[in-house]
Amino acid sequence: MTHPLVRKLQSVGDLAKADLDLLEALVSDIRDFGARRDIIREGEKPDHVHLMLEGWSCRYQVLPDGSKQITAFLLPGDFCDVHVTMLGEMDHSIGALNAARVAFISRDVMRELIERPAIARALWWASLVDEAVLRAWIVNFGRRDSFERVAHLICELYARLQNVGLAAENEFDLPLTQEDLSDALGLTPVHISRVLKRLRQEEMMTFKRQQISILDIRKLQAAAGFDPSYLHLAD
Amino acid sequence: MTHPLVRKLQSVGDLAKADLDLLEALVSDIRDFGARRDIIREGEKPDHVHLMLEGWSCRYQVLPDGSKQITAFLLPGDFCDVHVTMLGEMDHSIGALNAARVAFISRDVMRELIERPAIARALWWASLVDEAVLRAWIVNFGRRDSFERVAHLICELYARLQNVGLAAENEFDLPLTQEDLSDALGLTPVHISRVLKRLRQEEMMTFKRQQISILDIRKLQAAAGFDPSYLHLAD
DNA sequence: CGGAAGATTGAGAGTTCTCAATGCCTGTGG
DNA sequence: CCACAGGCATTGAGAACTCTCAATCTTCCG
């Protein structure tokens, strides 16, 4: 079975058979995490790297006053923390959102991976896309109101899921509560509820039982000011 | 003369003499940009990478409605766009804020650099710190009010400048207008003015003629909820 | 000295938050 | 199979924060 990382990296450039084999082989140590369990916590210094295989997780930080900010959503195929091996300890935590399957990749195997130019290139590319996503979030926070902001996040997640083949036509699972959305978007749960209502009323999308239904993607993208080019997706 | 990149990378780990020589040598093609000139624009596909030597610049994006969002400040020693060579075209612009001196580094030289393990490591480290800064900005936007937000940015810039030896004791140049600050922090210039006034009144800092004076760094950091560990600085 | 850009201030409007009550769904135990 | 508890979502009302608009002031530079 090809795992999502392979799918993702293949879209970047052609990897040789040997590279593909290496990528397939690296998911030997697989562990499961229950919903809402931490995969790695701030301050830890693991000697391996985590790769999402199934399920969702998020990067987050808890402030002294107890408020929480999610800084990224990690989908199948995403590395959680290529940086730890380099920076030492984690400066944020990563928590599973639903039941998740995670590959643990040792430092040595990572080193081996990076020695393959094509793979190193692909990994670097992936981390640059992550960076572009962070910048897009900043624009989202800085210059869009709550309505546009929610719409933009949904557009982004939809595009990213499609890219790894995890979104149906106009529908996908979003394993989040409204509180999670508020933690990601810098709003309150109450306000998220109101925004979702408006999104429903304006017939752009609905969110019920952790399921997003896109009613009118054009309208939604227009409202969000969404331009997918920052994701640098294959298509 | 050792340029700021060398200073910055040395704080990461010990580079060999040969590595240092290589780094010194790469600033052969140096160009000057006047204040407020673009160094590179969205959509361009340059065949070289830009490295800040003197002066400040910022990454920014202009939205369809004309509003602007700054997503990063680039100081001497920072690479502007290691990613272009990989992702193809720029998905944002970079503009000089004051008179700036920029090294243009060809794709070939970059490749040579990356072949040196110690340098590749250091560059990767730098890009991971950039990412950590982006995450800190997201937390800043999502969970801090305007007062804390301004304070946090000033704390960050102060720490980063100190790291490259460009900040005096409790004082540094900030070549920005209040409008620039508002573009970086997702606020309006009017509100920035009010926040700065309060920062003055509470005797934490002043900002006059593009010069920041820190009156009480402890108080400022406390108000900002600033914890410098995300910058992963040497000290 | 005059003009232009930037900073400050005031007043009123709009967005988002807080607090609190109510409603809905789901899973569990009787 | 029903009743109930707990978590999540929704709604209302008032407060707080930030914005907009507009006038005035200051600084900088030719």
Side-chain angles (χ1 to χ4, degrees):
Chain A
M1 149 251 174
T2 66
H3 59 266
L5 176 63
V6 175
R7 238 175 295 154
K8 186 170 145 185
L9 296 190
Q10 267 181 326
S11 72
V12 186
D14 17 300
L15 296 173
K17 180 77 173 58
D19 291 329
L20 290 175
D21 290 344
L22 187 54
L23 284 175
E24 289 293 352
L26 62 75
V27 297
S28 55
D29 182 1
I30 296 177
R31 306 194 200 172
D32 289 315
F33 288 83
R36 307 288 150 173
R37 280 293 154 71
D38 276 333
I39 294 172
I40 180 170
R41 251 185 280 263
E42 187 173 340
E44 288 182 15
K45 317 170 75 154
D47 54 356
H48 54 260
V49 160
H50 302 89
L51 169 66
M52 294 301 296
L53 294 179
E54 290 175 34
W56 290 51
S57 65
C58 67
R59 274 182 221 293
Y60 70 91
Q61 226 165 303
V62 177
L63 278 74
D65 72 348
S67 63
K68 179 175 171 182
Q69 177 65 48
I70 291 176
T71 58
F73 288 112
L74 302 172
L75 310 184
D78 290 339
F79 274 103
C80 298
D81 46 18
V82 219
H83 34 83
V84 243
T85 56
M86 176 121 292
L87 290 183
E89 69 175 43
M90 290 291 289
D91 59 10
H92 61 273
S93 305
I94 295 175
L97 289 163
N98 50 6
R101 176 155 290 183
V102 180
F104 280 51
I105 301 174
S106 75
R107 209 178 265 242
D108 292 341
V109 173
M110 272 318 272
R111 196 163 303 140
E112 221 180 306
L113 274 185
I114 290 177
E115 274 163 16
R116 301 234 166 210
I119 294 183
R121 237 183 108 79
L123 289 181
W124 199 28
W125 170 87
S127 97
L128 294 175
V129 171
D130 289 348
E131 226 180 282
V133 170
L134 288 175
R135 282 194 297 270
W137 278 42
I138 288 177
V139 174
N140 212 20
F141 277 101
R143 292 296 170 220
R144 286 196 260 261
D145 67 22
S146 59
F147 185 74
E148 304 166 320
R149 203 130 106 210
V150 173
H152 197 278
L153 178 62
I154 300 301
C155 288
E156 178 191 303
L157 293 175
Y158 185 42
R160 284 172 60 195
L161 284 170
Q162 282 185 316
N163 185 236
V164 285
L166 291 174
E169 180 77 21
N170 295 322
E171 236 165 45
F172 63 91
D173 284 332
L174 184 69
L176 305 177
T177 63
Q178 293 190 3
E179 189 172 357
D180 294 328
L181 280 175
S182 76
D183 288 338
L185 293 167
L187 299 166
T188 54
V190 173
H191 201 64
I192 289 284
S193 173
R194 294 192 221 271
V195 168
L196 289 176
K197 179 181 179 183
R198 203 180 130 203
L199 246 4
R200 232 177 290 134
Q201 288 173 337
E202 304 202 2
E203 295 178 314
M204 297 187 187
M205 52 158 276
T206 64
F207 177 41
K208 199 116 192 119
R209 297 193 213 176
Q210 313 214 322
Q211 175 97 17
I212 295 277
S213 297
I214 308 277
L215 303 179
D216 186 338
I217 186 66
R218 293 264 159 272
K219 218 159 127 191
L220 187 68
Q221 291 182 337
F226 180 76
D227 170 0
S229 59
Y230 72 95
L231 292 171
H232 298 274
L233 300 180
D235 180 349
Chain B
M1 149 249 172
T2 65
H3 59 266
L5 176 62
V6 175
R7 239 176 293 152
K8 186 170 144 185
L9 296 189
Q10 267 181 325
S11 71
V12 187
D14 17 300
L15 296 172
K17 179 77 172 60
D19 292 329
L20 290 175
D21 289 345
L22 188 54
L23 285 174
E24 289 293 353
L26 61 75
V27 296
S28 55
D29 182 1
I30 296 177
R31 307 193 200 174
D32 290 313
F33 288 84
R36 307 288 149 173
R37 279 293 154 72
D38 277 332
I39 294 173
I40 180 168
R41 252 185 279 261
E42 187 173 341
E44 287 182 16
K45 318 171 73 155
D47 55 355
H48 53 261
V49 161
H50 302 87
L51 168 66
M52 294 300 296
L53 294 178
E54 290 174 35
W56 290 49
S57 64
C58 67
R59 274 181 220 294
Y60 70 91
Q61 226 166 303
V62 177
L63 278 74
D65 71 348
S67 63
K68 179 176 170 182
Q69 177 65 49
I70 292 176
T71 58
F73 288 113
L74 302 170
L75 310 184
D78 291 339
F79 274 103
C80 298
D81 45 19
V82 219
H83 34 83
V84 242
T85 57
M86 176 121 294
L87 290 183
E89 70 176 44
M90 291 291 288
D91 59 9
H92 60 273
S93 304
I94 295 174
L97 289 163
N98 50 6
R101 176 154 290 182
V102 180
F104 282 51
I105 303 174
S106 75
R107 207 178 267 243
D108 292 340
V109 173
M110 273 317 273
R111 196 164 304 140
E112 223 180 303
L113 274 185
I114 289 177
E115 273 163 16
R116 301 237 165 207
I119 294 184
R121 237 182 108 77
L123 289 182
W124 199 29
W125 170 86
S127 96
L128 295 174
V129 171
D130 289 349
E131 226 181 282
V133 170
L134 288 175
R135 283 193 298 269
W137 277 43
I138 288 176
V139 174
N140 212 19
F141 276 100
R143 293 297 172 217
R144 286 195 260 263
D145 67 22
S146 60
F147 185 74
E148 304 166 321
R149 203 130 105 211
V150 173
H152 196 277
L153 177 62
I154 300 301
C155 288
E156 178 190 304
L157 293 174
Y158 185 42
R160 286 172 58 194
L161 284 170
Q162 282 185 316
N163 184 236
V164 285
L166 291 174
E169 179 79 20
N170 296 322
E171 236 165 46
F172 62 91
D173 284 332
L174 184 69
L176 305 177
T177 64
Q178 294 190 2
E179 187 172 0
D180 294 328
L181 280 176
S182 76
D183 287 338
L185 293 166
L187 299 166
T188 55
V190 173
H191 201 64
I192 289 285
S193 174
R194 295 193 220 270
V195 167
L196 289 175
K197 180 182 180 182
R198 200 179 133 204
L199 247 3
R200 234 178 289 133
Q201 287 173 336
E202 303 202 3
E203 293 177 315
M204 297 186 187
M205 51 158 277
T206 64
F207 178 41
K208 198 116 191 117
R209 297 191 211 179
Q210 312 215 319
Q211 174 99 15
I212 295 277
S213 297
I214 309 277
L215 304 179
D216 187 338
I217 186 68
R218 293 265 158 272
K219 218 159 127 190
L220 188 67
Q221 292 183 337
F226 180 75
D227 170 0
S229 59
Y230 72 94
L231 292 170
H232 298 272
L233 301 179
D235 181 349

